[in-house]
Amino acid sequence: MVLKRQASHAGSFYPLNKDDLIKSIENSYLHKLGPGNLPKINERKKESIGYIVPHAGYMYSGPIAAHSYFNIANEGKPKVFVIVGPNHTGLGENASVWKEGIWQTPLGDVEIDNEVSRLIVSYSKYFTFDEEAHLYEHSVEVQIPFLQQLFNDIKIVPIVIKLQNEEVSLDLANALYKLIVDNGVDLVNIASSDMNHYEPYDITYKKDEMALKKIEELDVNGLFKVLDENNITMCGPGPVGALLYLGKKMNSRVQILKHATSGDITGEKDWVVGYAAARVVKA
């Protein structure tokens, strides 16, 4: 029996109807805060280690997320996308990898790369196979239709982190590094995170810039420190920290592709959430 995970946020974070979903994704690219053009799929170029992508409803963060996916299209399809998000539900283990089977979205089924998922767990001290953490979590799920709209037959490894600290981030980075260097796995790491939450526009924008400065510097310790000292409510420092550690190990640099807030989309600036798209690219 094949292990299946049904889409739990189709119809809320993104459209349930297939045609409406495709249109929503295309509109994200063409939005005034998006890249401005639809992406073009190129032959595989192994330039970027991974991307930071926001995970709110498509109407809010879709145009910012589109900047990362526009670049992903330009670099072609890897063997596997390792999609890492924070745990918003509190369910499941501290660091949860989905083992095998398929994930369903309105655009069809996506296969889990069970070989890669097993290797990640075998290389890690913290990460275990666990389904419960994933069942109602949106941070990984919302990334998948963007990838499906670009490529046929993608493979993914979904990972959700509840215990977000530097040690867990480094542990995942070490596992991914072994996959790439020792096993020759062609992967792209997607770190799913929104930035500061539910403060006025000016405050959120300033707090986001403080965090993004540390991200640009590949400074994981500095990122966790600045979040803590300034009460910056970025929700995915664990996934982002893992990507930054991996980038450092692979001699990479960070390019911020886009930074905006929900207020830039809706015009309501009293109470906003920050969003950023970035790529970690080989130096």
Side-chain angles (χ1 to χ4, degrees):
M1 185 174 137
V2 178
L3 182 61
K4 292 183 182 180
R5 189 228 186 236
Q6 295 180 325
S8 64
H9 295 283
S12 56
F13 277 71
Y14 58 89
L16 179 61
N17 175 275
K18 179 180 177 181
D19 292 338
D20 291 343
L21 177 50
I22 291 171
K23 189 174 180 183
S24 175
I25 293 169
E26 289 178 345
N27 287 343
S28 293
Y29 289 111
L30 299 174
H31 191 278
K32 65 181 181 180
L33 294 177
N37 294 295
L38 294 176
K40 292 189 174 114
I41 313 298
N42 285 324
E43 293 294 312
R44 179 72 178 123
K45 296 180 286 190
K46 296 182 183 179
E47 294 177 355
S48 295
I49 310 299
Y51 293 82
I52 298 170
V53 192
H55 56 233
Y58 284 12
M59 69 172 287
Y60 297 108
S61 66
I64 291 83
H67 286 269
S68 286
Y69 290 109
F70 191 89
N71 278 268
I72 286 171
N74 184 51
E75 294 183 7
K77 184 175 77 170
K79 177 187 187 291
V80 61
F81 291 96
V82 179
I83 311 174
V84 189
N87 186 326
H88 292 85
T89 67
L91 298 172
E93 299 297 325
N94 281 329
S96 304
V97 179
W98 189 282
K99 185 177 184 181
E100 60 193 1
I102 60 170
W103 276 35
Q104 299 175 314
T105 84
L107 300 186
D109 294 347
V110 175
E111 184 182 346
I112 306 302
D113 192 322
N114 64 329
E115 177 189 7
V116 171
S117 69
R118 288 170 201 273
L119 284 171
I120 289 171
V121 170
S122 73
Y123 290 151
S124 164
K125 292 185 290 186
Y126 290 99
F127 289 80
T128 57
F129 292 127
D130 169 48
E131 295 152 35
E132 189 181 12
H134 295 265
L135 293 179
Y136 308 107
E137 178 53 54
H138 67 274
S139 62
V140 172
E141 179 184 326
V142 299
Q143 311 302 344
I144 297 168
F146 266 98
L147 293 171
Q148 288 176 291
Q149 192 264 348
L150 292 177
F151 306 116
N152 294 322
D153 304 321
I154 59 167
K155 288 188 176 183
I156 63 170
V157 175
I159 298 176
V160 170
I161 302 176
K162 182 161 58 176
L163 181 61
Q164 298 192 73
N165 61 35
E166 292 173 59
E167 198 173 343
V168 173
S169 293
L170 181 59
D171 183 55
L172 178 57
N174 288 338
L176 297 179
Y177 183 79
K178 279 188 180 180
L179 277 172
I180 296 166
V181 175
D182 296 350
N183 299 81
V185 175
D186 177 16
L187 68 84
V188 169
N189 175 203
I190 293 176
S192 178
S193 180
D194 293 341
M195 301 301 290
N196 193 61
H197 287 63
Y198 308 132
E199 289 191 275
Y201 181 91
D202 292 347
I203 293 173
T204 282
Y205 206 89
K206 184 179 175 186
K207 286 187 173 186
D208 284 358
E209 289 291 319
M210 293 168 72
L212 289 170
K213 185 173 186 293
K214 297 302 178 185
I215 288 170
E216 279 189 289
E217 294 168 355
L218 289 166
D219 183 359
V220 182
N221 178 261
L223 174 62
F224 275 93
K225 194 173 177 184
V226 83
L227 296 179
D228 183 54
E229 290 179 352
N230 297 279
N231 193 29
I232 301 171
T233 54
M234 175 183 175
C235 59
V240 170
L243 174 56
L244 298 182
Y245 274 131
L246 180 62
K248 207 163 188 177
K249 289 168 81 71
M250 298 195 68
N251 188 32
S252 302
R253 61 183 174 84
V254 175
Q255 178 189 3
I256 306 297
L257 302 171
K258 186 67 176 177
H259 172 219
T261 77
S262 59
D264 295 303
I265 302 276
T266 66
E268 200 292 299
K269 296 192 173 181
D270 292 338
W271 196 241
V272 306
V273 179
Y275 309 122
R279 70 194 282 236
V280 179
V281 60
K282 290 175 188 172

